[in-house]
Amino acid sequence: MRNGARWLAEAVGSVLADSGAWDEILVIDDGSTDFPERFLPSDPRVRRIVQPPLGIVAALERGRAEAKGRYLARMDADDHSLPGRLDAQLRLLEVDAGLGAVGGGALLRDALGSGMQRYVDWLNQIVDPMQELLVESPLSHPAVTMRAQAVAAVGGYRSGAFPEDYDLWLRLVAGGWRLGAVPEPVVRLRDRPDRLTRTDPRYSVQAVQH
């Protein structure tokens, strides 16, 4: 997270409402200058971790290194986790030890143009992410819960001229893990002009197809 303070209370609050007493919520502050600590809910489960502005992969890896649980649920600072998300995704991971990551559907608010809406519509009709793996990223990164052991086994997130999430899904599958999804929306995504998927060349069509 960097400079997402205006949405932080809602985002963290939505996760807290869906979490148990022993869960931990790690807020990785990647060099924010908008005083996010003022907007964090006061709850012992919430821990803010501050680092210089090193970028999304460094923030993701910092969170992975700090997390203590068997599962890693990912979300952006400007999104909203829907009720029942964690229970639904954890049920799949507990029942099927071969699953490395589980996604789900998404709702989109503040849509800017049709591109992101088309992706969300496509995402919401996926039954088996494994069948769509070579089409596009079949898991929305802010909607994913992952098995920490699986992510560690393939080396975690990597930096490069490619989408760090799609790269991870491909390596999980290459490493013998499978991808799954719950059949309902698990997150409400906020579309905005400065989101990385719109501004960073790592998420361009050329980078995805590379």
Side-chain angles (χ1 to χ4, degrees):
M1 175 208 73
R2 186 186 301 165
N3 293 335
R6 75 191 95 167
W7 304 293
L8 197 56
E10 178 189 348
V12 175
S14 72
V15 178
L16 283 170
D18 205 35
S19 299
W22 302 107
D23 291 327
E24 59 176 353
I25 292 88
L26 303 181
V27 178
I28 312 302
D29 183 348
D30 187 53
S32 294
T33 57
D34 59 352
F35 307 104
E37 65 275 13
R38 298 179 181 177
F39 301 90
L40 281 176
S42 178
D43 191 292
R45 293 172 290 177
V46 178
R47 180 156 60 104
R48 175 173 167 250
I49 298 166
V50 182
Q51 66 178 31
L54 300 174
I56 186 170
V57 171
L60 291 166
E61 282 295 280
R62 179 67 182 276
R64 196 170 68 85
E66 296 278 352
K68 302 181 181 69
R70 289 184 296 153
Y71 302 110
L72 307 169
R74 160 89 172 84
M75 202 179 78
D76 289 330
D78 58 346
D79 296 329
H80 183 107
S81 187
L82 297 175
R85 168 196 171 172
L86 293 179
D87 282 346
Q89 293 180 324
L90 291 177
R91 273 197 302 271
L92 286 185
L93 288 162
E94 291 283 355
V95 167
D96 189 342
L99 287 173
V102 171
L107 304 176
L108 185 63
R109 63 182 173 191
D110 305 327
L112 301 172
S114 60
M116 188 64 178
Q117 187 64 64
R118 284 201 302 270
Y119 173 69
V120 169
D121 290 343
W122 174 75
L123 188 76
N124 288 344
Q125 56 81 42
I126 292 176
V127 176
D128 181 2
M130 298 291 289
Q131 295 182 1
E132 309 291 344
L133 184 61
L134 299 182
V135 177
E136 232 276 28
S137 174
L139 303 180
S140 174
H141 201 190
V144 167
T145 296
M146 302 169 284
R147 195 181 303 275
Q149 172 194 0
V151 179
V154 300
Y157 290 95
R158 299 191 305 180
S159 293
F162 46 75
E164 75 289 335
D165 52 348
Y166 198 6
D167 172 70
L168 179 57
W169 316 150
L170 292 169
R171 286 186 290 113
L172 282 171
V173 172
W177 299 92
R178 288 181 291 104
L179 310 177
V182 298
E184 65 264 354
V186 296
V187 70
R188 183 179 294 112
L189 305 174
R190 186 188 303 274
D191 198 11
R192 52 193 177 93
D194 57 341
R195 64 182 299 143
L196 288 179
T197 49
R198 290 184 177 277
T199 62
D200 195 306
R202 289 175 296 176
Y203 307 104
S204 67
V205 173
Q206 291 78 14
V208 170
Q209 293 176 340
H210 180 64

